[in-house]
Amino acid sequence: MAEAGDFYVAPDGFYQAKVVKAGSSIIHVTFKSTGGKALGGGDYFVDEDGDGIANYSELQLPEGYNLTETGDFFVDPDQNYEITLKKSGRYNHPCCICR
């Protein structure tokens, strides 16, 4: 709601409340490897409920990489996010399964 607190309604009257819908935020993310290599990135919709908190699991990672950090983070649409990734322990290669 856009307003909070007490209000008066006449016995035969009505009160029209203004509701503001919370929405998701768009953030810019750059993915880097633990060695500093650029792995891509882009703009991501996060924080669907509009509470100012997003989870790293909301991001689509480059194939073959995992997060070095997990959990929640505060959303600031004016900030650029640099997220460090590590190679996953196992990934598919065209000729074999590598470790």
Side-chain angles (χ1 to χ4, degrees):
M1 297 203 38
E3 301 171 6
D6 298 333
F7 58 92
Y8 176 78
V9 178
D12 291 327
F14 67 93
Y15 182 80
Q16 187 171 3
K18 182 177 179 184
V19 177
V20 178
K21 182 180 178 188
S24 61
S25 298
I26 301 173
I27 61 170
H28 184 76
V29 175
T30 303
F31 295 114
K32 299 226 175 187
S33 70
T34 51
K37 178 182 174 186
L39 300 172
D43 293 331
Y44 289 84
F45 286 94
V46 295
D47 185 26
E48 189 173 307
D49 60 3
D51 66 355
I53 300 171
N55 191 287
Y56 286 105
S57 65
E58 297 179 51
L59 305 174
Q60 184 176 351
L61 306 179
E63 190 172 333
Y65 287 88
N66 292 325
L67 292 164
T68 58
E69 295 180 52
T70 58
D72 296 335
F73 61 94
F74 290 105
V75 175
D76 179 358
D78 298 325
Q79 177 181 338
N80 290 323
Y81 292 85
E82 186 175 296
I83 298 175
T84 304
L85 304 176
K86 62 183 175 185
K87 276 195 173 184
S88 58
R90 181 178 177 168
Y91 60 95
N92 293 326
H93 188 271
C95 67
C96 61
I97 296 178
C98 302
R99 289 188 185 263

